[in-house]
């Protein structure tokens, strides 16, 4: 059962453009939503995370937008750079008890020079 | 610097072989995880452990077992490797326990091919 649906599967953006990756979840008990970034040959690394008490979180060029009623959250990469080319995974989990992260299927981003 | 080390970057095994994938973390983390990564399927949790000698099944435990005899080491075992276990295997660890919002630190992965 896929609990976190991620789209698109792949994305090509021009340098300087905005990259947008979307995720939707089913379990209303989820209350922690991180994004992980993975470069080729490396393991994923935490990029940014949000909790549903805020609708947006920004760290540099990376912003998470969160819509609790729609059960959706998205990653926006402003002024996209070739160095942002990577695979991005959204994830979700519950904060009560020991709850494991559920990952989306990933988005391969290519930023063309 | 935090570090999660996986013993092999590439591994080629034969069908039916017993395979051991080793992972070591140097951060004194409580929790350790094994994921497999397949194109179009994302990261799927195989097993995790929140303490020495403790283990819990993840979403796809069939065909796998794990061992955690020491806090820093978490091993994934394929009892009888099959071709459908060809995949990238990622080990991860995290410090927080019970909060559900643990930050995962991943190793670089082991690409296993079963022929």
């Amino acid at each position: 059962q896929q609990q976190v649906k991620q789209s698109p599967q792949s994305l090509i953006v021009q340098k300087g453009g905005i990259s947008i990756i979307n995720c939707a979840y089913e379990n209303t008990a989820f209350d922690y939503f991180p994004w992980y970034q993975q470069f080729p040959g490396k393991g994923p690394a935490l990029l940014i995370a949000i909790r549903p008490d805020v609708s947006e979180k920004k760290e540099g060029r990376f912003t998470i937008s969160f819509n609790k009623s729609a059960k959706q959250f998205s990653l926006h990469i402003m002024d996209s750079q070739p160095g942002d080319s990577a695979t991005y995974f959204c994830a979700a989990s519950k904060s009560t008890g020991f709850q494991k992260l559920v990952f989306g299927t990933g988005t391969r981003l290519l930023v063309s020079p | 610097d935090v570090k999660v080390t996986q013993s092999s970057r590439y591994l080629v095994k034969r069908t039916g072989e017993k395979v051991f994938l080793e992972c070591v973390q140097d951060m004194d983390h409580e929790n350790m995880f094994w994921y497999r990564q397949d194109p179009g399927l994302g990261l799927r949790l195989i097993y995790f452990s929140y303490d020495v000698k403790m283990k819990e099944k993840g979403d796809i435990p069939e065909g796998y077992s794990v061992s955690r005899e020491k806090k820093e080491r978490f091993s994934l075992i394929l009892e009888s490797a099959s071709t459908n276990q060809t995949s990238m295997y990622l080990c991860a660890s995290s410090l927080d326990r019970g909060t559900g919002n643990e930050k995962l630190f991943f190793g670089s992965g082991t690409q296993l091919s079963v022929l």
Side-chain angles (χ1 to χ4, degrees):
Chain A
Q1 181 183 1
Q2 180 63 40
Q3 296 188 51
V4 179
K5 294 183 179 180
Q6 183 171 349
S7 62
Q9 189 171 1
S10 62
L11 182 62
I12 300 175
V13 173
Q14 295 266 4
K15 179 182 175 182
I18 302 174
S19 304
I20 301 174
I21 305 171
N22 300 299
C23 284
Y25 62 98
E26 300 166 2
N27 190 337
T28 55
F30 287 155
D31 59 1
Y32 173 66
F33 304 92
W35 286 88
Y36 280 77
Q37 179 188 53
Q38 183 182 30
F39 293 107
K42 302 290 186 183
L46 180 65
L47 180 64
I48 187 173
I50 195 169
R51 290 190 159 276
D53 51 348
V54 296
S55 60
E56 187 175 281
K57 183 173 182 180
K58 185 175 180 180
E59 288 185 4
R61 296 183 294 107
F62 299 90
T63 300
I64 301 179
S65 297
F66 184 79
N67 185 330
K68 188 173 182 178
S69 60
K71 293 187 288 184
Q72 295 176 347
F73 58 110
S74 60
L75 177 69
H76 291 65
I77 306 174
M78 311 301 288
D79 186 26
S80 298
Q81 299 296 313
D84 298 329
S85 297
T87 299
Y88 293 82
F89 294 96
C90 62
S93 71
K94 296 182 279 186
S95 59
T96 53
F98 184 89
Q99 298 295 339
K100 54 192 183 294
L101 281 172
V102 177
F103 283 88
T105 52
T107 296
R108 181 173 289 185
L109 171 66
L110 176 64
V111 181
S112 59
Chain B
D1 253 5
V2 296
K3 201 166 185 181
V4 177
T5 303
Q6 294 184 231
S7 55
S8 304
R9 183 72 182 94
Y10 298 96
L11 211 52
V12 180
K13 296 293 181 180
R14 296 284 183 189
T15 302
E17 277 193 78
K18 190 169 186 177
V19 182
F20 293 86
L21 301 183
E22 305 287 344
C23 176
V24 176
Q25 51 97 0
D26 65 357
M27 298 165 282
D28 200 34
H29 282 175
E30 300 286 339
N31 310 322
M32 296 189 75
F33 307 79
W34 276 106
Y35 288 87
R36 64 177 281 177
Q37 180 177 3
D38 300 287
L41 296 177
L43 301 171
R44 294 181 293 166
L45 182 63
I46 305 171
Y47 266 97
F48 64 101
S49 167
Y50 55 86
D51 203 350
V52 176
K53 297 191 184 293
M54 303 299 290
K55 59 185 179 183
E56 295 283 344
K57 292 180 180 179
D59 300 317
I60 52 165
E62 296 79 19
Y64 303 95
S65 62
V66 290
S67 173
R68 194 170 181 198
E69 296 295 320
K70 293 184 178 181
K71 190 176 184 180
E72 68 271 17
R73 187 178 297 269
F74 193 34
S75 303
L76 180 68
I77 304 157
L78 286 66
E79 296 291 342
S80 178
S82 64
T83 55
N84 62 14
Q85 292 179 308
T86 291
S87 185
M88 171 66 77
Y89 290 87
L90 290 163
C91 175
S93 70
S94 70
L95 175 62
D96 297 331
R97 180 177 177 180
T99 64
N101 60 353
E102 61 272 8
K103 174 181 177 180
L104 294 180
F105 293 86
F106 283 89
S108 294
T110 295
Q111 179 63 51
L112 173 66
S113 296
V114 183
L115 306 178

